[in-house]
Amino acid sequence: MRISKIVVAVVVAASLGLLAGCGGGSSGTDSGTSNASAADAQKAQAAQQKVDAAKAVPGTEDLGPAIDVSSLKGKTIYSIPIDSKAEFYQAGEAAMKIVAEKAGVGFVTFPSDGTQTSYQQGIAQAINAKAGAILLNGPLPSTLGPQIDDATKAGIPVIPLHLSDKDTPPVTGLTYEAFAPFNEAAHLMTLAAIGAGKGTPIHALVIQASETGPSKGMVDTINKALADEGPAGSDATVINVAVPQWSQQIQSQVQSALLKNPNINAVLPIYDSMALYAAPGIQQAAGGREVPIYTFNGTPSILKMVQDGSVAMDVAENPDWVAYVNIDVAFRAMLGAPPVAAESGPVRVIDKSNVADTGNPPQSGKGFGDTYAGAFMKLWGLG
């Protein structure tokens, strides 16, 4: 989860063209400028093609090897969310409970309150209850080493959820983990800005939350995409706002950044709830010019902003699909089956062309087809 300013891949193509023109006549100048423009336009077209491909409904062809979960009936999974009262975690816990119970597996959400003490108590309670698995839905494993050791000694697998990017290895010492497509989403956000720019340099304002685990990787991905796949001269300015300060600081920081740098032509909040506060900041500071927002998560209120036109694109996840992934990882851990490498829920790019698929108003989980639930049930020998 923050604060830095990063300038990426500044290629002064126009200046080089002018120097060439001075040495070799006007034809050299025209040719150099034309070639640079064509190359940048091709980059924009290539970026847009990748974004368009990601608008399709994800398939269910590669969910991993089939497993028989019938022997797990009657066992119980304990889940410890980072804060059991937070709406986001309440929705995720409820979805996982429904999925687990379809297989006859109990599901208990420990009433954590965001403190280390509550996480420790949750693991202790799960061990005493002889849980089949313990899910860390937000708490960091690195802060719970002794408790995880106790669970491991009791033969109970501990599984982090949605903390690490799918291209990273599992947490050291743990065999099973449910990953997330953080960096893929950051890449698609950046490509969408590049594609919309049609060859003009992208001067992105990136909003991160550096205390969150995915933040650094997502910002690095954005910078790399601008450097490798963006038009010459593309760069990023990064602002950092801690999660508890989003409602107080994002709007003013966005407004300040836009006033300080009028060349900013895209805003990339790494989590879409940031857009609630970024949008008014843009309106205040850049009301006379277009500064689109490209973001990640698929929160229904932000998808409504896509419908309204105040957000250009949201790389959406499906919370229900993520619940199936989380429970699939837990089932494999309880059975001692090999983990599925980089197991993660998919993403779908949602913009004005397909946002209607998510409902009117948008609903959580809608827009990802209706086959994934049946596919997982079949995978588990229950369908």
Side-chain angles (χ1 to χ4, degrees):
M1 299 167 147
R2 254 137 250 18
I3 206 160
S4 61
K5 182 172 181 179
I6 305 172
V7 180
V8 183
V10 181
V11 183
V12 193
S15 297
L16 292 176
L18 288 172
L19 289 173
C22 292
S26 61
S27 62
T29 302
D30 293 342
S31 174
T33 304
S34 175
N35 288 340
S37 177
D40 287 342
Q42 288 175 356
K43 287 183 176 182
Q45 290 172 2
Q48 190 60 53
Q49 288 174 356
K50 294 176 182 177
V51 172
D52 289 342
K55 293 180 185 180
V57 174
T60 59
E61 299 80 17
D62 189 20
L63 300 180
I67 53 176
D68 181 357
V69 304
S70 59
S71 63
L72 301 180
K73 190 172 183 179
K75 295 184 180 295
T76 301
I77 295 170
Y78 267 69
S79 181
I80 305 171
I82 198 166
D83 184 347
S84 63
K85 294 182 180 179
E87 181 179 358
F88 175 84
Y89 290 99
Q90 286 180 342
E93 293 289 316
M96 288 190 287
K97 181 179 177 67
I98 291 171
V99 174
E101 290 180 347
K102 288 181 179 181
V105 175
F107 189 92
V108 174
T109 296
F110 183 80
S112 53
D113 60 9
T115 65
Q116 286 296 113
T117 299
S118 68
Y119 307 152
Q120 294 166 359
Q121 291 171 342
I123 293 176
Q125 185 179 108
I127 294 172
N128 290 335
K130 298 181 172 25
I134 298 172
L135 308 182
L136 296 182
N137 190 11
L140 298 176
S142 60
T143 66
L144 294 165
Q147 291 73 35
I148 292 174
D149 288 343
D150 289 343
T152 302
K153 290 174 183 176
I156 304 172
V158 177
I159 304 161
L161 306 181
H162 214 264
L163 290 175
S164 305
D165 184 75
K166 63 182 182 178
D167 292 331
T168 60
V171 171
T172 301
L174 298 179
T175 303
Y176 299 90
E177 183 169 357
F179 296 91
F182 296 119
N183 294 345
E184 178 186 3
H187 188 214
L188 287 167
M189 288 160 51
T190 314
L191 292 181
I194 292 170
K198 300 186 183 302
T200 59
I202 301 303
H203 304 292
L205 176 64
V206 180
I207 311 172
Q208 69 158 327
S210 63
E211 81 274 12
T212 62
S215 186
K216 183 181 185 302
M218 294 182 76
V219 173
D220 288 348
T221 298
I222 291 168
N223 284 321
K224 188 175 190 306
L226 288 172
D228 295 349
E229 301 173 80
S234 296
D235 58 24
T237 298
V238 182
I239 59 175
N240 180 58
V241 185
V243 176
Q245 301 302 320
W246 286 2
S247 62
Q248 291 84 23
Q249 294 188 12
I250 287 180
Q251 179 175 339
S252 61
Q253 288 205 36
V254 167
Q255 185 175 345
S256 176
L258 290 172
L259 291 173
K260 184 177 180 180
N261 183 1
N263 291 322
I264 289 172
N265 54 9
V267 174
L268 278 62
I270 64 169
Y271 307 123
D272 66 3
S273 293
M274 294 171 160
L276 290 168
Y277 314 107
I282 294 171
Q283 293 171 355
Q284 291 280 340
R289 59 191 175 94
E290 186 176 358
V291 184
I293 295 174
Y294 306 91
T295 189
F296 158 67
N297 271 150
T299 304
S301 60
I302 310 304
L303 294 177
K304 182 65 167 61
M305 295 175 72
V306 174
Q307 286 184 335
D308 297 342
S310 51
V311 168
M313 184 271 268
D314 199 341
V315 185
E317 288 185 295
N318 178 348
D320 294 335
W321 197 321
V322 170
Y324 276 95
V325 167
N326 293 344
I327 296 301
D328 183 69
V329 175
F331 285 169
R332 293 176 191 275
M334 293 162 74
L335 291 169
V340 176
E343 187 165 5
S344 167
V347 294
R348 184 186 183 193
V349 165
I350 302 294
D351 64 10
K352 63 182 179 181
S353 70
N354 61 358
V355 68
D357 293 353
T358 67
N360 189 17
Q363 300 173 31
S364 178
K366 194 168 183 181
F368 282 74
D370 55 5
T371 63
Y372 61 90
F376 274 103
M377 296 302 286
K378 183 177 180 181
L379 187 74
W380 299 334
L382 300 174

